[in-house]
Amino acid sequence: MYQKPKGTRDILPEISYKWQYMEEMAKQEAKKCGYQEVRTPTFESTDLFLRSVGESSDIVNKEMYTFKDKGDRSLTLRPEGTAGVVRAFVENGLVNDTMPQKMFYIVNNFRYENPQAGRFREHTQFGCESFGINTPFGELETITLAKTILDKVGVKNLSLHINSIGCQKCKPIFNRALSDFAEQNKTSFCEDCNRRMTQNPMRMLDCKNENCQQILKNAPKLKDYLCDECKEHFMKVLELLRQNGIEYVVDTSLVRGLDYYTKTVFEFISDNIDGKGKSLTVCAGGRYDGLVEEIGGKPTCCVGFGMGLDRLILLLSDVEKPQTDVYVLNVGGVSADKTFEIAKTIREQGYTAQSDLLDRSFKAQFKYAEKIDARYVLIVGDEELKTGVFNLKNQQSNTEEKLKLDEIIELLKRGE
């Protein structure tokens, strides 16, 4: 028997309605802010991710699914959503259109990492990217949109962690200071940190090794190296958040795991999700003003976020499971094509309807109607076909009434 690959999952009908609810809700909230959907290839040139995500990142070093095609080209399954969207933005000339350009997407990403609760090797991400907004209002709208979606999902104990990691003017100065500090403690750092020390020192701050974090408590602080422009921008972002009633925690250790970020970075964290103090990052994003230029476009400011839907499913509040409006049940030798025709008429009016397709008994049909949680059972016999008046049973109230088909449609319209 074949089995799914490790780190993947089957989303079966018993839970897929929750995914549909969450995806549609996120799309609608994004559309309210003027975002439109973009769809990009599942695989891209490997070089795109090397240049955008960064060769020092864990994604590039440990997690990418990379392969050679028959033309000996190096391709990689998409490990994250932003790089492909930015590539599409540049390649299709959108950089020359009126700004801002706002896009959302729902994509499957692929990372070779240890599977755990809410984290899979193939995972689904909802993301939003906006281009051409150089003011702090870009962060305000992005963060507000993300929070609205998370609130509607029903995420509890939600906190916004935010930081500024500087720009291309001040980041190199901090990196040199951090590298000098790290060199003095070289023997005490883990293998990953020693590699990052020369490639991208700031990435050391994202290390999960407890011993490294203890050493880094005495390291230079990023906030002390921000240029005046970055400081002013960040202070304005915080001011706008306060004005709009969004609480936040300034987290000076937050740097994010992708190299393309500049200035503002943020994470939404759900605290104490298991009642034992465990926290879970449910959304992350920030500003990446140099990425468009890095992959061949003209300088364009960008800000966005991504949220893993696999994790959010674990935190999703109860969502009502969709019901079949009407099950059309045939008795007394009435042919299946008659009940199918009635079900088809109901569907054409915008309601869900099913009929027997297996020539089952009256009792078996009723059991099936209960299994699919039908709101009504419409009973069709020879007499009903002659008179055009049908027995309609309300499965919730266990009551019956005789109605014509157009009256049944009206009843459904009234939501009864």
Side-chain angles (χ1 to χ4, degrees), residues 327-340 342 355-356 359-367 377-386 389-393 400 402:
Y327 182 82
V328 185
L329 185 151
N330 60 299
V331 295
V334 170
S335 62
D337 62 335
K338 297 295 183 182
T339 50
F340 182 86
I342 293 171
S355 62
D356 180 45
D359 195 25
R360 287 178 286 205
S361 68
F362 178 87
K363 184 177 181 181
Q365 289 182 69
F366 245 118
K367 283 186 177 180
V377 173
L378 194 160
I379 302 171
V380 182
D382 291 330
E383 184 64 24
E384 285 77 12
L385 286 176
K386 289 178 184 177
V389 178
F390 304 94
N391 285 332
L392 185 70
K393 182 182 178 185
E400 291 187 29
K402 293 183 179 296

Side-chain angles (χ1 to χ4, degrees), residues 163-174:
N163 192 26
S164 176
I165 60 172
C167 64
Q168 297 309 319
K169 291 186 293 185
C170 52
K171 283 172 70 174
I173 300 173
F174 172 72

Side-chain angles (χ1 to χ4, degrees), residues 39-100:
R39 301 187 184 192
T40 60
T42 303
F43 56 88
E44 301 264 9
S45 167
T46 300
D47 188 53
L48 171 66
F49 299 115
L50 293 178
R51 294 188 66 180
S52 60
V53 176
E55 294 189 41
S56 66
S57 68
D58 285 347
I59 291 176
V60 169
N61 277 290
K62 303 176 182 179
E63 299 171 359
M64 293 204 314
Y65 283 90
T66 298
F67 60 95
K68 289 286 187 74
D69 70 1
K70 293 183 178 180
D72 202 36
R73 291 171 289 254
S74 181
L75 301 173
T76 296
L77 295 179
R78 175 178 51 224
E80 60 91 38
T82 298
V85 174
V86 174
R87 191 267 314 147
F89 176 81
V90 173
E91 183 177 348
N92 291 281
L94 300 181
V95 69
N96 298 313
D97 285 357
T98 303
M99 298 295 168

Side-chain angles (χ1 to χ4, degrees), residues 127-142:
C128 287
E129 320 286 356
S130 60
F131 299 85
I133 306 176
N134 63 354
T135 70
F137 285 95
E139 283 93 332
L140 176 64
E141 180 179 80
T142 299

Side-chain angles (χ1 to χ4, degrees), residues 143 147 158-162 238 240-250 267-268:
I143 290 171
K147 185 176 185 302
L158 191 65
S159 59
L160 168 63
H161 289 230
I162 191 167
L238 300 184
L240 289 172
L241 293 175
R242 290 193 298 270
Q243 290 176 1
N244 286 271
I246 299 177
E247 297 181 355
Y248 59 83
V249 175
V250 175
E267 291 182 350
F268 278 99

Side-chain angles (χ1 to χ4, degrees), residues 184-202:
Q184 298 171 14
N185 298 273
K186 188 174 182 178
T187 58
S188 301
F189 281 114
C190 69
E191 182 180 341
D192 283 339
C193 279
N194 277 308
R195 172 173 51 82
R196 293 163 179 161
M197 190 184 304
T198 56
Q199 291 181 336
N200 187 350
M202 190 180 292

